[in-house]
Amino acid sequence: RSNITVVFDQVEIDLHRWSVTLVRKRRGERYPTVLYNTATLSPDVRRAQAHPSGFETIGGVVETESIRELSIGIPRSSDMHVHATQPLEHISVTDDWTDYLWYRTTVSNPCSDAGQLVLKDAGDVAYAFIDDRALGMRHGRQDSLATFTFDVPKGFKNDTVTVSILSQTMGMAHNQQHMESYARGLLGSVTLCGRDITEGKWLMMPGLSSKSKDQEAPPAIDSAHWTSYRGKSGSHFRWYAIKLDADKLLADSDARLAVDLSSG
């Protein structure tokens, strides 16, 4: 679980956690050659990840009646088994088996007027909730941390409120360094209406839902868990399953495809 340096035929090779390195030494060569390392993106992969300048609409591919959805609820505090006096670094808790980590704390005597929830030095993505009421989603840019600010409405009904934050990190997104070479999650201070709540009792849970790894990938589309697409629903997180006409999509084998959900 740590980075190491190995010597192979007099060549030092840096090996990052969770990464894979392919090395070749041909007959007659004095030193081996590093062919590929998952901690570094090749120029070909960088070009493949580049977004096209625009998309051409392909009609008749997605039928609304064929869309299925699966709702995922916010986990309960009893499902969060990692405890600390402040938020822990994301990847050190998840050990990279999931991109998601829930943080939760309770705050007594919250602000009476409207204010802000501010997450300093956070990344890559954060969803915030107070008493399970969604405040929104914020994301950073490129290979850097950011300050995420959420507007908090006034008028808390209780003397104590629950602040829940879902952190998401994406590994090798944006052609950045490999994930084990940086830190993510809630790394700086957390303030609510100007009050620093970084130190306290924090609960954490790796994974998107309390069902652990079961919903990191959704069940088969013919499973009874799926329901017909209903448009907007009460769940904050949903899987969508869409059946597509492969003949139309694969007519151009080099095409890059995207599904536009903006009309849903």
Side-chain angles (χ1 to χ4, degrees):
R1 295 188 178 185
S2 60
N3 302 337
I4 62 173
T5 298
V6 300
V7 178
F8 180 70
D9 276 1
Q10 305 179 53
V11 174
E12 287 191 353
I13 302 174
D14 294 326
L15 301 178
H16 295 280
R17 291 183 298 168
W18 306 303
S19 66
V20 176
T21 300
L22 302 181
V23 181
R24 178 181 66 190
K25 183 179 181 182
R26 289 189 174 127
R27 182 177 300 177
E29 292 181 342
R30 184 175 180 180
Y31 299 110
T33 301
V34 177
L35 298 179
Y36 180 74
N37 186 286
T38 55
T40 304
L41 293 179
S42 67
D44 290 338
V45 174
R46 290 173 184 267
R47 286 192 293 270
Q49 285 192 345
H51 293 291
S53 57
F55 291 93
E56 177 183 354
T57 301
I58 305 176
V61 176
V62 179
E63 300 293 340
T64 304
E65 294 76 14
S66 69
I67 302 177
R68 309 283 285 175
E69 65 179 16
L70 174 64
S71 297
I72 299 174
I74 299 176
R76 299 169 298 180
S77 296
S78 58
D79 295 321
M80 299 182 173
H81 303 303
V82 180
H83 297 196
T85 57
Q86 63 183 29
L88 301 179
E89 192 276 327
H90 182 121
I91 300 174
S92 65
V93 179
T94 64
D95 202 23
D96 191 38
W97 71 257
T98 174
D99 290 332
Y100 302 98
L101 176 65
W102 280 98
Y103 296 90
R104 177 169 293 169
T105 189
T106 56
V107 181
S108 301
N109 301 317
C111 44
S112 56
D113 296 324
Q116 292 181 326
L117 173 67
V118 180
L119 314 178
K120 189 174 181 180
D121 292 336
D124 294 302
V125 181
Y127 301 80
F129 305 83
I130 289 185
D131 287 342
D132 295 344
R133 179 177 178 178
L135 302 182
M137 181 272 285
R138 302 289 184 271
H139 61 84
R141 294 179 59 84
Q142 299 297 329
D143 190 17
S144 61
L145 299 173
T147 296
F148 297 155
T149 302
F150 301 86
D151 291 329
V152 177
K154 64 178 180 179
F156 293 108
K157 295 181 179 180
N158 303 317
D159 294 334
T160 300
V161 298
T162 300
V163 178
S164 302
I165 300 165
L166 176 62
S167 171
Q168 179 184 359
T169 185
M170 292 302 295
M172 296 175 74
H174 305 308
N175 296 327
Q176 61 198 16
Q177 294 178 318
H178 206 235
M179 57 194 159
E180 60 267 16
S181 63
Y182 62 63
R184 285 296 184 266
L186 304 184
L187 303 180
S189 62
V190 180
T191 60
L192 177 63
C193 299
R195 175 183 171 187
D196 192 332
I197 60 172
T198 312
E199 297 289 337
K201 181 181 179 182
W202 284 86
L203 306 177
M204 282 151 278
M205 186 194 79
L208 185 58
S209 77
S210 58
K211 295 183 179 179
S212 187
K213 300 183 181 181
D214 294 344
Q215 288 196 9
E216 294 307 298
I221 191 172
D222 56 356
S223 166
H225 295 88
W226 293 92
T227 60
S228 298
Y229 174 67
R230 301 185 301 273
K232 294 183 179 180
S233 68
S235 174
H236 300 295
F237 305 103
R238 295 186 297 276
W239 284 104
Y240 292 101
I242 305 172
K243 291 184 178 181
L244 305 174
D245 189 329
D247 292 335
K248 292 182 179 180
L249 291 177
L250 301 179
D252 181 358
S253 59
D254 295 327
R256 295 174 183 173
L257 305 173
V259 177
D260 181 6
L261 298 178
S262 61
S263 61

PDB file of all heavy atoms in Angstrom, residues 222-242:
ATOM      1  N   ASP A 222     -32.729  -6.613 -16.068  1.00  0.00           N
ATOM      2  CA  ASP A 222     -33.972  -7.372 -15.927  1.00  0.00           C
ATOM      3  C   ASP A 222     -34.289  -7.679 -14.462  1.00  0.00           C
ATOM      4  O   ASP A 222     -35.248  -8.376 -14.154  1.00  0.00           O
ATOM      5  CB  ASP A 222     -33.906  -8.668 -16.736  1.00  0.00           C
ATOM      6  CG  ASP A 222     -32.703  -9.524 -16.365  1.00  0.00           C
ATOM      7  OD1 ASP A 222     -31.878  -9.086 -15.537  1.00  0.00           O
ATOM      8  OD2 ASP A 222     -32.589 -10.637 -16.913  1.00  0.00           O
ATOM      9  N   SER A 223     -33.470  -7.131 -13.536  1.00  0.00           N
ATOM     10  CA  SER A 223     -33.715  -7.336 -12.114  1.00  0.00           C
ATOM     11  C   SER A 223     -34.952  -6.572 -11.670  1.00  0.00           C
ATOM     12  O   SER A 223     -35.313  -5.541 -12.238  1.00  0.00           O
ATOM     13  CB  SER A 223     -32.495  -6.882 -11.298  1.00  0.00           C
ATOM     14  OG  SER A 223     -32.813  -6.779  -9.936  1.00  0.00           O
ATOM     15  N   ALA A 224     -35.593  -7.068 -10.606  1.00  0.00           N
ATOM     16  CA  ALA A 224     -36.803  -6.424 -10.088  1.00  0.00           C
ATOM     17  C   ALA A 224     -36.502  -5.085  -9.420  1.00  0.00           C
ATOM     18  O   ALA A 224     -37.421  -4.320  -9.120  1.00  0.00           O
ATOM     19  CB  ALA A 224     -37.490  -7.353  -9.092  1.00  0.00           C
ATOM     20  N   HIS A 225     -35.207  -4.765  -9.171  1.00  0.00           N
ATOM     21  CA  HIS A 225     -34.855  -3.502  -8.541  1.00  0.00           C
ATOM     22  C   HIS A 225     -35.139  -2.309  -9.457  1.00  0.00           C
ATOM     23  O   HIS A 225     -35.348  -1.194  -8.986  1.00  0.00           O
ATOM     24  CB  HIS A 225     -33.366  -3.493  -8.158  1.00  0.00           C
ATOM     25  CG  HIS A 225     -33.009  -4.507  -7.118  1.00  0.00           C
ATOM     26  ND1 HIS A 225     -32.644  -5.798  -7.415  1.00  0.00           N
ATOM     27  CD2 HIS A 225     -32.969  -4.412  -5.763  1.00  0.00           C
ATOM     28  CE1 HIS A 225     -32.389  -6.460  -6.317  1.00  0.00           C
ATOM     29  NE2 HIS A 225     -32.570  -5.646  -5.295  1.00  0.00           N
ATOM     30  N   TRP A 226     -35.158  -2.533 -10.746  1.00  0.00           N
ATOM     31  CA  TRP A 226     -35.334  -1.436 -11.704  1.00  0.00           C
ATOM     32  C   TRP A 226     -36.804  -1.102 -11.871  1.00  0.00           C
ATOM     33  O   TRP A 226     -37.667  -1.970 -11.806  1.00  0.00           O
ATOM     34  CB  TRP A 226     -34.746  -1.818 -13.069  1.00  0.00           C
ATOM     35  CG  TRP A 226     -33.253  -1.962 -13.073  1.00  0.00           C
ATOM     36  CD1 TRP A 226     -32.550  -3.106 -12.861  1.00  0.00           C
ATOM     37  CD2 TRP A 226     -32.292  -0.935 -13.307  1.00  0.00           C
ATOM     38  NE1 TRP A 226     -31.206  -2.858 -12.944  1.00  0.00           N
ATOM     39  CE2 TRP A 226     -31.017  -1.527 -13.222  1.00  0.00           C
ATOM     40  CE3 TRP A 226     -32.381   0.434 -13.582  1.00  0.00           C
ATOM     41  CZ2 TRP A 226     -29.847  -0.804 -13.398  1.00  0.00           C
ATOM     42  CZ3 TRP A 226     -31.211   1.156 -13.760  1.00  0.00           C
ATOM     43  CH2 TRP A 226     -29.962   0.540 -13.663  1.00  0.00           C
ATOM     44  N   THR A 227     -37.092   0.174 -12.114  1.00  0.00           N
ATOM     45  CA  THR A 227     -38.458   0.605 -12.383  1.00  0.00           C
ATOM     46  C   THR A 227     -38.480   1.427 -13.665  1.00  0.00           C
ATOM     47  O   THR A 227     -37.434   1.848 -14.173  1.00  0.00           O
ATOM     48  CB  THR A 227     -39.008   1.471 -11.228  1.00  0.00           C
ATOM     49  OG1 THR A 227     -38.180   2.627 -11.065  1.00  0.00           O
ATOM     50  CG2 THR A 227     -39.035   0.671  -9.932  1.00  0.00           C
ATOM     51  N   SER A 228     -39.648   1.650 -14.193  1.00  0.00           N
ATOM     52  CA  SER A 228     -39.778   2.462 -15.402  1.00  0.00           C
ATOM     53  C   SER A 228     -39.379   3.904 -15.115  1.00  0.00           C
ATOM     54  O   SER A 228     -39.596   4.419 -14.019  1.00  0.00           O
ATOM     55  CB  SER A 228     -41.225   2.409 -15.926  1.00  0.00           C
ATOM     56  OG  SER A 228     -41.577   1.088 -16.280  1.00  0.00           O
ATOM     57  N   TYR A 229     -38.817   4.559 -16.105  1.00  0.00           N
ATOM     58  CA  TYR A 229     -38.376   5.941 -15.970  1.00  0.00           C
ATOM     59  C   TYR A 229     -39.567   6.858 -15.708  1.00  0.00           C
ATOM     60  O   TYR A 229     -40.547   6.845 -16.435  1.00  0.00           O
ATOM     61  CB  TYR A 229     -37.644   6.365 -17.246  1.00  0.00           C
ATOM     62  CG  TYR A 229     -37.249   7.816 -17.292  1.00  0.00           C
ATOM     63  CD1 TYR A 229     -36.284   8.319 -16.430  1.00  0.00           C
ATOM     64  CD2 TYR A 229     -37.852   8.695 -18.196  1.00  0.00           C
ATOM     65  CE1 TYR A 229     -35.911   9.650 -16.475  1.00  0.00           C
ATOM     66  CE2 TYR A 229     -37.482  10.029 -18.249  1.00  0.00           C
ATOM     67  CZ  TYR A 229     -36.514  10.509 -17.382  1.00  0.00           C
ATOM     68  OH  TYR A 229     -36.152  11.822 -17.437  1.00  0.00           O
ATOM     69  N   ARG A 230     -39.462   7.688 -14.640  1.00  0.00           N
ATOM     70  CA  ARG A 230     -40.570   8.555 -14.256  1.00  0.00           C
ATOM     71  C   ARG A 230     -40.194  10.041 -14.323  1.00  0.00           C
ATOM     72  O   ARG A 230     -40.950  10.880 -13.874  1.00  0.00           O
ATOM     73  CB  ARG A 230     -41.030   8.239 -12.834  1.00  0.00           C
ATOM     74  CG  ARG A 230     -41.494   6.805 -12.619  1.00  0.00           C
ATOM     75  CD  ARG A 230     -42.049   6.615 -11.220  1.00  0.00           C
ATOM     76  NE  ARG A 230     -41.066   6.934 -10.201  1.00  0.00           N
ATOM     77  CZ  ARG A 230     -40.176   6.074  -9.720  1.00  0.00           C
ATOM     78  NH1 ARG A 230     -40.137   4.841 -10.196  1.00  0.00           N
ATOM     79  NH2 ARG A 230     -39.322   6.428  -8.789  1.00  0.00           N
ATOM     80  N   GLY A 231     -39.039  10.342 -14.867  1.00  0.00           N
ATOM     81  CA  GLY A 231     -38.601  11.731 -14.873  1.00  0.00           C
ATOM     82  C   GLY A 231     -38.062  12.098 -13.504  1.00  0.00           C
ATOM     83  O   GLY A 231     -37.356  11.321 -12.868  1.00  0.00           O
ATOM     84  N   LYS A 232     -38.385  13.278 -13.011  1.00  0.00           N
ATOM     85  CA  LYS A 232     -37.910  13.714 -11.717  1.00  0.00           C
ATOM     86  C   LYS A 232     -38.537  12.881 -10.608  1.00  0.00           C
ATOM     87  O   LYS A 232     -39.718  12.608 -10.622  1.00  0.00           O
ATOM     88  CB  LYS A 232     -38.232  15.190 -11.504  1.00  0.00           C
ATOM     89  CG  LYS A 232     -37.497  16.130 -12.456  1.00  0.00           C
ATOM     90  CD  LYS A 232     -37.818  17.570 -12.146  1.00  0.00           C
ATOM     91  CE  LYS A 232     -37.053  18.505 -13.085  1.00  0.00           C
ATOM     92  NZ  LYS A 232     -37.347  19.938 -12.792  1.00  0.00           N
ATOM     93  N   SER A 233     -37.689  12.484  -9.650  1.00  0.00           N
ATOM     94  CA  SER A 233     -38.192  11.715  -8.506  1.00  0.00           C
ATOM     95  C   SER A 233     -37.534  12.228  -7.245  1.00  0.00           C
ATOM     96  O   SER A 233     -36.682  13.113  -7.273  1.00  0.00           O
ATOM     97  CB  SER A 233     -37.884  10.216  -8.696  1.00  0.00           C
ATOM     98  OG  SER A 233     -36.493   9.985  -8.630  1.00  0.00           O
ATOM     99  N   GLY A 234     -37.919  11.666  -6.097  1.00  0.00           N
ATOM    100  CA  GLY A 234     -37.420  12.158  -4.830  1.00  0.00           C
ATOM    101  C   GLY A 234     -36.006  11.738  -4.497  1.00  0.00           C
ATOM    102  O   GLY A 234     -35.404  12.285  -3.584  1.00  0.00           O
ATOM    103  N   SER A 235     -35.438  10.776  -5.201  1.00  0.00           N
ATOM    104  CA  SER A 235     -34.097  10.298  -4.893  1.00  0.00           C
ATOM    105  C   SER A 235     -33.045  11.247  -5.454  1.00  0.00           C
ATOM    106  O   SER A 235     -33.178  11.773  -6.553  1.00  0.00           O
ATOM    107  CB  SER A 235     -33.903   8.903  -5.477  1.00  0.00           C
ATOM    108  OG  SER A 235     -32.563   8.478  -5.306  1.00  0.00           O
ATOM    109  N   HIS A 236     -31.968  11.444  -4.689  1.00  0.00           N
ATOM    110  CA  HIS A 236     -30.887  12.312  -5.153  1.00  0.00           C
ATOM    111  C   HIS A 236     -29.935  11.585  -6.100  1.00  0.00           C
ATOM    112  O   HIS A 236     -29.241  12.214  -6.896  1.00  0.00           O
ATOM    113  CB  HIS A 236     -30.100  12.838  -3.959  1.00  0.00           C
ATOM    114  CG  HIS A 236     -30.935  13.634  -2.996  1.00  0.00           C
ATOM    115  ND1 HIS A 236     -31.513  14.841  -3.340  1.00  0.00           N
ATOM    116  CD2 HIS A 236     -31.303  13.388  -1.713  1.00  0.00           C
ATOM    117  CE1 HIS A 236     -32.177  15.314  -2.303  1.00  0.00           C
ATOM    118  NE2 HIS A 236     -32.076  14.454  -1.312  1.00  0.00           N
ATOM    119  N   PHE A 237     -29.876  10.256  -6.002  1.00  0.00           N
ATOM    120  CA  PHE A 237     -28.944   9.483  -6.819  1.00  0.00           C
ATOM    121  C   PHE A 237     -29.699   8.357  -7.512  1.00  0.00           C
ATOM    122  O   PHE A 237     -30.428   7.602  -6.868  1.00  0.00           O
ATOM    123  CB  PHE A 237     -27.822   8.902  -5.952  1.00  0.00           C
ATOM    124  CG  PHE A 237     -27.095   9.953  -5.162  1.00  0.00           C
ATOM    125  CD1 PHE A 237     -27.345  10.126  -3.806  1.00  0.00           C
ATOM    126  CD2 PHE A 237     -26.174  10.786  -5.773  1.00  0.00           C
ATOM    127  CE1 PHE A 237     -26.695  11.099  -3.081  1.00  0.00           C
ATOM    128  CE2 PHE A 237     -25.515  11.762  -5.061  1.00  0.00           C
ATOM    129  CZ  PHE A 237     -25.777  11.921  -3.708  1.00  0.00           C
ATOM    130  N   ARG A 238     -29.493   8.245  -8.805  1.00  0.00           N
ATOM    131  CA  ARG A 238     -30.194   7.227  -9.578  1.00  0.00           C
ATOM    132  C   ARG A 238     -29.276   6.647 -10.646  1.00  0.00           C
ATOM    133  O   ARG A 238     -28.492   7.360 -11.271  1.00  0.00           O
ATOM    134  CB  ARG A 238     -31.437   7.811 -10.251  1.00  0.00           C
ATOM    135  CG  ARG A 238     -32.505   8.264  -9.307  1.00  0.00           C
ATOM    136  CD  ARG A 238     -33.781   8.701 -10.042  1.00  0.00           C
ATOM    137  NE  ARG A 238     -33.556   9.852 -10.902  1.00  0.00           N
ATOM    138  CZ  ARG A 238     -33.584  11.112 -10.483  1.00  0.00           C
ATOM    139  NH1 ARG A 238     -33.776  11.378  -9.205  1.00  0.00           N
ATOM    140  NH2 ARG A 238     -33.388  12.112 -11.319  1.00  0.00           N
ATOM    141  N   TRP A 239     -29.371   5.353 -10.827  1.00  0.00           N
ATOM    142  CA  TRP A 239     -28.801   4.693 -11.997  1.00  0.00           C
ATOM    143  C   TRP A 239     -29.833   4.751 -13.116  1.00  0.00           C
ATOM    144  O   TRP A 239     -31.036   4.649 -12.862  1.00  0.00           O
ATOM    145  CB  TRP A 239     -28.493   3.214 -11.704  1.00  0.00           C
ATOM    146  CG  TRP A 239     -27.274   2.960 -10.877  1.00  0.00           C
ATOM    147  CD1 TRP A 239     -27.227   2.607  -9.559  1.00  0.00           C
ATOM    148  CD2 TRP A 239     -25.911   3.007 -11.316  1.00  0.00           C
ATOM    149  NE1 TRP A 239     -25.946   2.438  -9.143  1.00  0.00           N
ATOM    150  CE2 TRP A 239     -25.103   2.668 -10.201  1.00  0.00           C
ATOM    151  CE3 TRP A 239     -25.298   3.301 -12.540  1.00  0.00           C
ATOM    152  CZ2 TRP A 239     -23.713   2.617 -10.273  1.00  0.00           C
ATOM    153  CZ3 TRP A 239     -23.913   3.254 -12.612  1.00  0.00           C
ATOM    154  CH2 TRP A 239     -23.142   2.915 -11.495  1.00  0.00           C
ATOM    155  N   TYR A 240     -29.361   4.898 -14.356  1.00  0.00           N
ATOM    156  CA  TYR A 240     -30.228   4.815 -15.520  1.00  0.00           C
ATOM    157  C   TYR A 240     -29.725   3.716 -16.433  1.00  0.00           C
ATOM    158  O   TYR A 240     -28.511   3.564 -16.634  1.00  0.00           O
ATOM    159  CB  TYR A 240     -30.262   6.140 -16.300  1.00  0.00           C
ATOM    160  CG  TYR A 240     -30.945   7.267 -15.567  1.00  0.00           C
ATOM    161  CD1 TYR A 240     -30.200   8.249 -14.926  1.00  0.00           C
ATOM    162  CD2 TYR A 240     -32.335   7.347 -15.507  1.00  0.00           C
ATOM    163  CE1 TYR A 240     -30.821   9.278 -14.245  1.00  0.00           C
ATOM    164  CE2 TYR A 240     -32.962   8.382 -14.832  1.00  0.00           C
ATOM    165  CZ  TYR A 240     -32.193   9.343 -14.203  1.00  0.00           C
ATOM    166  OH  TYR A 240     -32.812  10.365 -13.519  1.00  0.00           O
ATOM    167  N   ALA A 241     -30.638   2.941 -16.966  1.00  0.00           N
ATOM    168  CA  ALA A 241     -30.297   1.906 -17.943  1.00  0.00           C
ATOM    169  C   ALA A 241     -31.047   2.206 -19.230  1.00  0.00           C
ATOM    170  O   ALA A 241     -32.263   2.449 -19.216  1.00  0.00           O
ATOM    171  CB  ALA A 241     -30.679   0.525 -17.416  1.00  0.00           C
ATOM    172  N   ILE A 242     -30.335   2.229 -20.336  1.00  0.00           N
ATOM    173  CA  ILE A 242     -30.914   2.603 -21.626  1.00  0.00           C
ATOM    174  C   ILE A 242     -30.577   1.536 -22.657  1.00  0.00           C
ATOM    175  O   ILE A 242     -29.403   1.171 -22.818  1.00  0.00           O
ATOM    176  CB  ILE A 242     -30.376   3.966 -22.111  1.00  0.00           C
ATOM    177  CG1 ILE A 242     -30.607   5.033 -21.035  1.00  0.00           C
ATOM    178  CG2 ILE A 242     -31.027   4.377 -23.416  1.00  0.00           C
ATOM    179  CD1 ILE A 242     -29.941   6.356 -21.348  1.00  0.00           C
TER     180      ILE A 242
END
